[in-house]
Amino acid sequence: MSMELTLAADQLAELGHSTRLSIFRLLVRAGHGGMRVGDIQAKLDIPGSTLSHHLSRMSKVGLMQQQRDGRTLYCTLNFDAVNALLGFLYAECCAGDQPLRVENL
């Protein structure tokens, strides 16, 4: 799966904020079942409006989504997007390595 440089940069920029990185790590730990917004707020001890702002920014770049179940709002990580971002970062891993030659020893 190919990823555009701009999207990767936008996603990394959003993860460059300590609160959003903390949210991301909570959602990674929660797995595919996600986490209730109220639980995220309690764990991070931040106001609801602040949390809403950060969740909106993460959703905008496709890192997570929100789903409602009755009166409860759940946040889940978009694992496909995260895997695409990690793949983009590692896509050319070691591609510049030079082969080892005896004369270089």
Side-chain angles (χ1 to χ4, degrees):
M1 177 183 286
S2 179
M3 171 176 265
E4 290 184 36
L5 182 63
T6 303
L7 177 57
D10 289 346
Q11 290 175 338
L12 291 169
E14 294 307 330
L15 293 175
H17 188 281
S18 61
T19 300
R20 288 190 288 277
L21 186 56
S22 295
I23 294 166
F24 179 85
R25 290 172 51 97
L26 285 174
L27 293 177
V28 166
R29 193 173 307 126
H32 293 281
M35 193 170 189
R36 295 181 326 175
V37 170
D39 292 340
I40 296 170
Q41 182 181 1
K43 286 216 181 263
L44 298 180
D45 192 30
I46 58 176
S49 59
T50 301
L51 177 59
S52 179
H53 164 76
H54 290 300
L55 294 175
S56 174
R57 292 189 65 138
M58 291 176 68
S59 292
K60 185 177 178 182
V61 295
L63 290 171
M64 55 142 291
Q65 59 268 340
Q66 295 180 324
Q67 300 160 302
R68 185 166 296 282
D69 183 15
R71 296 184 61 184
T72 305
L73 189 59
Y74 287 87
C75 294
T76 55
L77 206 60
N78 181 345
F79 285 96
D80 289 339
V82 172
N83 286 331
L85 178 59
L86 293 173
F88 174 80
L89 293 173
Y90 281 109
E92 297 192 33
C93 178
C94 308
D97 284 353
Q98 296 297 318
L100 185 62
R101 297 182 186 186
V102 175
E103 59 268 14
N104 291 343
L105 296 177

